[in-house]
Amino acid sequence: MGNDLRIANLARQSFGKSNQTFQTGDKGLINRLMKDRHGTPFEGVVFTFSVKAPIFVAREWFRHRIASYSELSGRYSELPPDFYIPELEQIREQKGKAMDYTFAPMELYGADAFQQIMRETCERSFESYHTLLSHGVAKEVARDVLPVNTYTTFSTIINLRSAFNFVSQRSHPSALWEIRQYSQAMELEIAKVVPHAYKAFVDKNRVAP
Ligand SMILES: Cc1cc2nc3c(=O)[nH]c(=O)nc-3n(C[C@H](O)[C@H](O)[C@H](O)COP(=O)(O)OP(=O)(O)OC[C@H]3O[C@@H](n4cnc5c(N)ncnc54)[C@H](O)[C@@H]3O)c2cc1C
């Protein structure tokens, strides 16, 4: 819902004015709002994103409180045997000290073996899940054996101001690689819907208003 014009018009509310079409001056107005961190007009643009992500990504995502979420229920639905296995180059090695880690791909030989261990572990977990279900254990209990890389699906409704805060944190190189992929995909959508506000955000060092 909304676009660049809506942001400019919400700001113009101060003067009791609004435009029917986007004017050249609106770009400057949006830049000024971003620069001075007058954030409220950006709340007038609202996105719904439908997401399929591993549970460990969803868990980080749901820390973003200024949004609404509706998620697939493992109490009411049987979860499909669908889990995230990192590509070989994402079986990463952690180096350095706390708060100052760097991550690098492992030697391919090692990565290959570790990828196999992950896959087999997930398959075994799903076998156990199905065994428990087949003996009548409730879904809400049987799911306890599933790993955090099991895929979940959810919808999130988030306004542009909060979405800028999300991508500012989650597209940053220090963020978990997996959530960064989603954040960068969100940015592409944001840029399509509100190109001027997105440019202002990027130009102002990606600080959310
Ligand atoms: C690289 C990275 C590492 C992280 N590591 C950890 C970790 O180790 N452990 C951990 O627990 N979390 C961690 N987090 C999560 C982080 O601390 C935030 O909880 C999360 O990123 C959500 O950010 P947020 O509060 O700005 O977003 P939102 O919850 O969407 O809030 C948006 C804005 O609203 C305001 N706001 C919201 N709620 C309140 C409130 N109660 N009081 C005052 N103002 C509020 C703030 O201005 C906030 O920035 C990490 C995040 C990142 C990006």
Side-chain angles (χ1 to χ4, degrees):
M1 180 183 80
N3 50 24
D4 282 317
L5 175 62
R6 182 168 168 81
I7 299 166
N9 278 339
L10 285 168
R12 276 210 189 78
Q13 191 84 42
S14 314
F15 311 108
K17 294 198 170 133
S18 77
N19 288 336
Q20 292 303 309
T21 54
F22 195 79
Q23 312 283 318
T24 332
D26 291 345
K27 247 196 250 186
L29 177 56
I30 288 174
N31 285 341
R32 186 62 195 260
L33 294 170
M34 189 67 76
K35 176 168 172 284
D36 294 346
R37 301 192 68 198
H38 288 305
T40 310
F42 296 98
E43 295 169 15
V45 177
V46 179
F47 294 87
T48 302
F49 292 104
S50 296
V51 184
K52 176 181 169 184
I55 289 170
F56 71 87
V57 169
R59 195 170 142 175
E60 291 200 355
W61 202 309
F62 294 174
R63 293 300 306 278
H64 293 262
R65 293 157 289 181
I66 311 301
S68 305
Y69 301 96
S70 299
E71 189 186 11
L72 171 71
S73 167
R75 293 185 68 201
Y76 307 134
S77 305
E78 183 177 327
L79 298 171
D82 196 5
F83 40 85
Y84 165 72
I85 301 292
E87 299 290 330
L88 288 181
E89 60 274 20
Q90 290 309 329
I91 313 263
R92 305 181 287 271
E93 212 173 351
Q94 179 177 305
K95 292 182 174 155
K97 52 184 189 316
M99 307 293 287
D100 199 17
Y101 294 125
T102 56
F103 298 90
M106 303 199 71
E107 293 294 322
L108 276 190
Y109 168 78
D112 199 22
F114 297 137
Q115 192 188 49
Q116 189 57 21
I117 290 174
M118 291 175 86
R119 188 170 287 121
E120 285 168 8
T121 306
C122 294
E123 283 164 0
R124 272 202 304 277
S125 295
F126 266 93
E127 267 174 40
S128 304
Y129 177 59
H130 289 139
T131 303
L132 294 171
L133 289 177
S134 69
H135 285 85
V137 176
K139 294 189 232 7
E140 66 180 22
V141 178
R143 67 171 168 182
D144 292 358
V145 298
L146 295 178
V148 290
N149 63 342
T150 306
Y151 275 105
T152 184
T153 52
F154 62 92
S155 292
T156 174
I157 302 169
I158 186 166
N159 70 49
L160 178 61
R161 185 183 194 180
S162 189
F164 279 144
N165 182 54
F166 182 98
V167 300
S168 173
Q169 295 182 32
R170 300 299 182 176
S171 295
H172 191 272
S174 63
L176 177 75
W177 184 85
E178 283 79 5
I179 201 167
R180 236 187 296 154
Q181 309 313 304
Y182 290 90
S183 183
Q184 287 166 0
M186 264 169 82
E187 287 200 36
L188 294 178
E189 293 306 312
I190 292 170
K192 274 189 229 161
V193 175
V194 282
H196 297 297
Y198 180 70
K199 183 172 184 315
F201 166 70
V202 172
D203 290 348
K204 298 285 176 290
N205 297 320
R206 303 174 59 87
V207 176

